[in-house]
C-alpha cells in the first residue's frame, strides 16, 4: 500500500510502515506488482484448469447429451450435439446413440439417422424401434420394411413398439399380403395377445377391408380400450356396414367404456354413411347430454351426418351453433345445400364465408360447382370456374373439371363439355368420363356415349357400373345387339351388375326392398297399396315410362316391372306403416330412375306426404307434386 504525504511515501512492507523518498520506492513498487501479477495469473490458471476439468467431466456424462438434445430447437443443433458426442467418444453409449437417432428421425433427417444407426456396434430394441418408426413416420415404407427385415435376420426380437409401426405401414399401403406376413411374425414371437399389437392389426385389417379378420382379432382381445373400440367402429363404417358400427357403439357403452370426442366423430361418420334419421337424432341427443363441445371437427362431422340423413335444416342448426368454423365447416354446409338441391342457399352462404375472413380452398369450390350443377345454375357455375385462380388463387384440378362437365352435360351442352375435356391439361380420371357418360345417357347421344365409354373402360375395366350404363344407353336406343355384346363382355370379365336396393325406416327399424320383392311380411298390403296408387295416378294423367325398363320384352311386362321397382315398394310400405302427414324417407343405392321420379312427385301430390329420397347422387325432396331438384338430376 502506498500513500503520498509531504512528498514522502508511506509504504507498507512485511506488515510494517516505512517512510521512503520517491526515488527509493520504485524498486519496492516493481517488487510488489510483480508478486501481484504472479499470484493473479496463478489463480486464473487454477480457475481455468478447474473449469476445463469440470466441462471435460461433464462431457463424459450421458445426461449432458440427453439434456442438450431435449433442448435442441432445430436440426443444426442436433448435429452440433452429435459432433460433441463423437469427439468425446460418447457414441459408444447406447442411450446417447439411440437418442441421437430419435432426434434425427424427429427432424425427418433419415439419412443422418440411418448413417448413425448403421455404424452402431451394439443395438437394442429401442434402436430398431426408433429406426423402423422413423422410416414409417415419413412414409418411407420400403426402408421401413427393409430395416424390419434386417431386424428379423440378425436374430433380434421385435417388440410391441416396433411391430405396430410396421403394421401401420401395411395399413397405409393397404398391403394385405405384407400385413398377413407380419401377423405370422406376431404369432411366432407370442405377441398375438399384446394389446398394442392387436389394436394395430385390427386397424390394418379394417383399412384393408378384411373386416371379418379384424372382428375375429377384436373379439379375441382380453382387454379392449377406447382406441380399439373406435378403430373397430370406424372399420365397419369404412367397409359399408355402418349399422354394425352403431351396434358396436351401443355395446361399447354397455361394457362401461366412455367415448371421447374422437370416438364420437367416428360414430357420427358411421351414422352419416347409414343415413338413418332416428340414429342421427339419438347420437345428437347423446352429444348434447354429455356436453361435448362442438369444435371444428365434431361440429363439421355432425353437419355432414344430419345432411346425409336427410335433414339439411338440422345441419344448419349445428352450423349456426358452432362458435368456431374453418374452411371445411363452411364447405360442408355449402355441399349439404348442394346435394339437397338448394343451390341458391349454397351460393348465398359463400359471401358470408368471405365476410367472416375465411378464404375458399379446393374443397369449397368443388362444393359450389356441385351445387350449381345440381340446381341447373349453369352461368353461375361457369363464372365461379373462370374466377378460381384469378380471385381465389385456387388451381382447377380434375374434380373441378368434372363438376363443370357435369354442369354442361346436365344442361344438354354436350359439345361444350367435350371441348372442355379435350382442352384439359390435368390428367383425366374415371369420375370425369363417368360424368360425361351419364350426361350422354340423359340426352340419348349414343355416339358421344361410345367415345366416353371407351375412355372409361380403359381406366376402369373392372367396374361393372360402366358396362351397365353403356348397356342402358344402347337399350334406350333400341340397339339390342349392342346390349347383348356389352353384357357378354361383362360375363367374359366375370363382372356382375350391382343389384338395386331401397331402404326405409319405420319405428326405428330398417326395411329393405329389391325389385319385385315379395319377401316382406306385409307384402300383400304393399302390393294392394301400389294397385290403389296406380289407379289414382292414372286419373291425374300418369303414364308409366317404359323407356326405363331396359329389357327386350313386350310393353305389358315392362309396365309390370316398373310398378315393382324397389323405391315404389318402399314408398307403398311407408304409406301403410307410418302416421299420416309424416315424411317418408327412403334410401336407394343406385340413381333413381325417371319413371320413379315422376311417380314420387305425383304420390306426394295426391297423398299430401313429403317424400325424401337419398339416391347414389343426391337428395330429392318431393312435396305437393314438385321435386327440389327441379327435374334436373
Amino acid at each position: 500500500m502506498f500513500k503520498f504525504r509531504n512528498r514522502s511515501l508511506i509504504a507498507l512492507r512485511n506488515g510494517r510502515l516505512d517512510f521512503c523518498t520517491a526515488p527509493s520506492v520504485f524498486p519496492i513498487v516493481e517488487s510488489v506488482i510483480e508478486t501481484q501479477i504472479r499470484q493473479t495469473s496463478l489463480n486464473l490458471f487454477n480457475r481455468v484448469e478447474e473449469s476445463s476439468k469440470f466441462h471435460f467431466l461433464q462431457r463424459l456424462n450421458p445426461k449432458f447429451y440427453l439434456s442438450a438434445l431435449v433442448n435442441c430447437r432445430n436440426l443444426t443443433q442436433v448435429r452440433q450435439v452429435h459432433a460433441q458426442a463423437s469427439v468425446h467418444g460418447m457414441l459408444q453409449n447406447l442411450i446417447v446413440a439411440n437418442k441421437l437417432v430419435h432426434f434425427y428421425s424427429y427432424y425427418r433427417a433419415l439419412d443422418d439417422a440411418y448413417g448413425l444407426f448403421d455404424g452402431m456396434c451394439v443395438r437394442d430394441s429401442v434402436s430398431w424401434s426408433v429406426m423402423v418408426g422413423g422410416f414409417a413416420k415419413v412414409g418411407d415404407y420400403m426402408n421401413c420394411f427393409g430395416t424390419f427385415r434386417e431386424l428379423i435376420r440378425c436374430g433380434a426380437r421385435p417388440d410391441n413398439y416396433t411391430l405396430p409401426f410396421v403394421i401401420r405401414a401395411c395399413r397405409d399401403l393397404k398391403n394385405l399380403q405384407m400385413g398377413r406376413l407380419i401377423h405370422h411374425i406376431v404369432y411366432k414371437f407370442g405377441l398375438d395377445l399384446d394389446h398394442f399389437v392387436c389394436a394395430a392389426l385390427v386397424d390394418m385389417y379394417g383399412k384393408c377391408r378384411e373386416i371379418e379378420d379384424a372382428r375375429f382379432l377384436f373379439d379375441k382381445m382380453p382387454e379392449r380400450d377406447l382406441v380399439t373400440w373406435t378403430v373397430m367402429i370406424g372399420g365397419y363404417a369404412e367397409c359399408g356396414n355402418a349399422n354394425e358400427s352403431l351396434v358396436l357403439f351401443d355395446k361399447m357403452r354397455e361394457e362401461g367404456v366412455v367415448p371421447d370426442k374422437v370416438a364420437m366423430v367416428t360414430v357420427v361418420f358411421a351414422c352419416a354413411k347409414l343415413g338413418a334419421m332416428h340414429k342421427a337424432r339419438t347420437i345428437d341427443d347423446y352429444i348434447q347430454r354429455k356436453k361435448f363441445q362442438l369444435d371444428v371437427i365434431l361440429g363439421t362431422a355432425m353437419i355432414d351426418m344430419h345432411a346425409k340423413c336427410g335433414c339439411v335444416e338440422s345441419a344448419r342448426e349445428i352450423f349456426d351453433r358452432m362458435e368456431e368454423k374453418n374452411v371445411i365447416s363452411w364447405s360442408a354446409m355449402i355441399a349439404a345445400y348442394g346435394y339437397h338441391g338448394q343451390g341458391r342457399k349454397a351460393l348465398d352462404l359463400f359471401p358470408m364465408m368471405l365476410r367472416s375472413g375465411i378464404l375458399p380452398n379446393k374443397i369449397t369450390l368443388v362444393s359450389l360447382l356441385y351445387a350449381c350443377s345440381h340446381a341447373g345454375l349453369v352461368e353461375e357455375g361457369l363464372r365461379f370456374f373462370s374466377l378460381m385462380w384469378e380471385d381465389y388463387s385456387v388451381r382447377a384440378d380434375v374434380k373441378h373439371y368434372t363438376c363443370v362437365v357435369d354442369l354442361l352435360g346436365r344442361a344438354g351442352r354436350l359439345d361444350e363439355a367435350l371441348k372442355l375435356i379435350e382442352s384439359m391439361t390435368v390428367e383425366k380420371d374415371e369420375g370425369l368420363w363417368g360424368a360425361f357418360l351419364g350426361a350422354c345417357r340423359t340426352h340419348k347421344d349414343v355416339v358421344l356415349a361410345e367415345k366416353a365409354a371407351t375412355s372409361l373402360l380403359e381406366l376402369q375395366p373392372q367396374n361393372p357400373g360402366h358396362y351397365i350404363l353403356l348397356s342402358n344407353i344402347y337399350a334406350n336406343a333400341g340397339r339390342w345387339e349392342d346390349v347383348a355384346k356389352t353384357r357378354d363382355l361383362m360375363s367374359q370379365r366375370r363382372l356382375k351388375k350391382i343389384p338395386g336396393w331401397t331402404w326405409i325406416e319405420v319405428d326405428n327399424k330398417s326395411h329393405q326392398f329389391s325389385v319385385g320383392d315379395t319377401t316382406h311380411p306385409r307384402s300383400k298390403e304393399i302390393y294392394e297399396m301400389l294397385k290403389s296408387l296406380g289407379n289414382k295416378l292414372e286419373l291425374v294423367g300418369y303414364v308409366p315410362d317404359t323407356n326405363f325398363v331396359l329389357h327386350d320384352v313386350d310393353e305389358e311386362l315392362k309396365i309390370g316391372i316398373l310398378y315393382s321397382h324397389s323405391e315404389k315398394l318402399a314408398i307403398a310400405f311407408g304409406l301403410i306403416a307410418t302416421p299420416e302427414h309424416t315424411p317418408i324417407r327412403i334410401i336407394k343405392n343406385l340413381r333413381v330412375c325417371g319413371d320413379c321420379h315422376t311417380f314420387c312427385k305425383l304420390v306426394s301430390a295426391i297423398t299430401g306426404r313429403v317424400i325424401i329420397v337419398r339416391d347414389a347422387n343426391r337428395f330429392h325432396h318431393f312435396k305437393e307434386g314438385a321435386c327440389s331438384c327441379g327435374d334436373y338430376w
Side-chain angles (χ1 to χ4, degrees), residues 276-300:
M277 177 55 70
H278 81 275
K279 288 287 187 184
R281 288 172 178 155
T282 301
I283 291 166
D284 194 329
D285 289 344
Y286 180 83
I287 287 170
Q288 290 191 54
R289 198 166 62 249
K290 294 298 180 181
K291 294 182 169 50
F292 282 101
Q293 185 185 356
L294 277 182
D295 63 6
V296 168
I297 298 172
L298 181 58
T300 303

Side-chain angles (χ1 to χ4, degrees), residues 348-369:
D348 290 344
L349 207 57
F350 185 61
M352 291 171 59
M353 171 183 160
L354 296 178
R355 286 196 298 271
S356 73
I358 295 177
L359 293 174
N361 64 6
K362 288 185 176 184
I363 298 170
T364 316
L365 288 161
V366 166
S367 300
L368 281 167
L369 291 170

Side-chain angles (χ1 to χ4, degrees), residues 452-472:
T454 301
S455 299
L456 195 53
L457 294 177
E458 285 176 3
L459 289 168
Q460 276 193 331
Q462 297 303 311
N463 188 330
H466 305 328
Y467 297 87
I468 296 298
L469 192 52
L470 180 60
S471 172
N472 292 350

Side-chain angles (χ1 to χ4, degrees), residues 334-513:
I334 290 169
Y337 280 130
Y339 53 73
H340 278 272
Q342 300 180 26
R344 287 292 175 192
K345 287 187 178 181
L347 297 191
D348 290 344
L349 207 57
F350 185 61
M352 291 171 59
M353 171 183 160
L354 296 178
R355 286 196 298 271
S356 73
I358 295 177
L359 293 174
N361 64 6
K362 288 185 176 184
I363 298 170
T364 316
L365 288 161
V366 166
S367 300
L368 281 167
L369 291 170
Y370 182 93
C372 291
S373 173
H374 283 263
L377 305 174
V378 180
E379 297 309 318
E380 290 88 339
L382 293 175
R383 180 172 56 83
F384 274 119
F385 184 68
S386 65
L387 296 176
M388 278 178 58
W389 175 249
E390 183 181 334
D391 284 9
Y392 309 116
S393 301
V394 175
R395 291 197 183 279
D397 62 20
V398 69
K399 291 183 179 178
H400 301 103
Y401 277 101
T402 299
C403 287
V404 178
V405 166
D406 191 50
L407 177 75
L408 293 169
R410 289 173 188 273
R413 295 159 65 169
L414 296 179
D415 290 334
E416 288 179 63
L418 183 60
K419 283 179 183 176
L420 180 66
I421 292 171
E422 290 173 341
S423 67
M424 283 171 58
T425 55
V426 298
E427 187 177 353
K428 304 168 184 66
D429 68 1
E430 60 278 1
L432 180 85
W433 285 112
F436 187 61
L437 182 59
C440 294
R441 190 268 302 271
T442 301
H443 298 285
K444 300 178 182 179
D445 192 320
V446 181
V447 175
L448 290 181
E450 288 178 323
K451 179 180 177 64
T454 301
S455 299
L456 195 53
L457 294 177
E458 285 176 3
L459 289 168
Q460 276 193 331
Q462 297 303 311
N463 188 330
H466 305 328
Y467 297 87
I468 296 298
L469 192 52
L470 180 60
S471 172
N472 292 350
I473 292 168
Y474 285 140
N476 269 322
R479 291 170 54 173
W480 298 108
E481 287 185 9
D482 290 319
V483 171
K485 287 177 183 177
T486 307
R487 298 295 174 108
D488 286 343
L489 188 57
M490 284 182 68
S491 299
Q492 292 169 21
R493 295 180 176 176
R494 298 181 178 179
L495 302 175
K496 291 184 178 180
K497 178 184 176 181
I498 300 168
W501 296 97
T502 301
W503 293 265
I504 182 171
E505 281 185 77
V506 174
D507 296 330
N508 296 340
K509 183 180 177 183
S510 184
H511 300 259
Q512 179 176 296
F513 295 90

Side-chain angles (χ1 to χ4, degrees), residues 233-257:
I233 290 168
Y236 271 117
E238 289 281 357
C239 292
N241 192 349
N243 190 58
E244 188 62 26
S245 291
L246 300 181
V247 170
L248 267 182
F249 175 60
D250 293 337
K251 187 177 178 182
M252 177 185 83
R253 288 184 295 158
E254 287 170 8
E255 293 192 10
V257 179

Side-chain angles (χ1 to χ4, degrees), residues 293-312:
Q293 185 185 356
L294 277 182
D295 63 6
V296 168
I297 298 172
L298 181 58
T300 303
M302 289 184 69
I303 290 168
D304 187 56
M305 174 186 75
H306 280 296
K308 287 181 177 173
C309 289
C311 191
V312 72

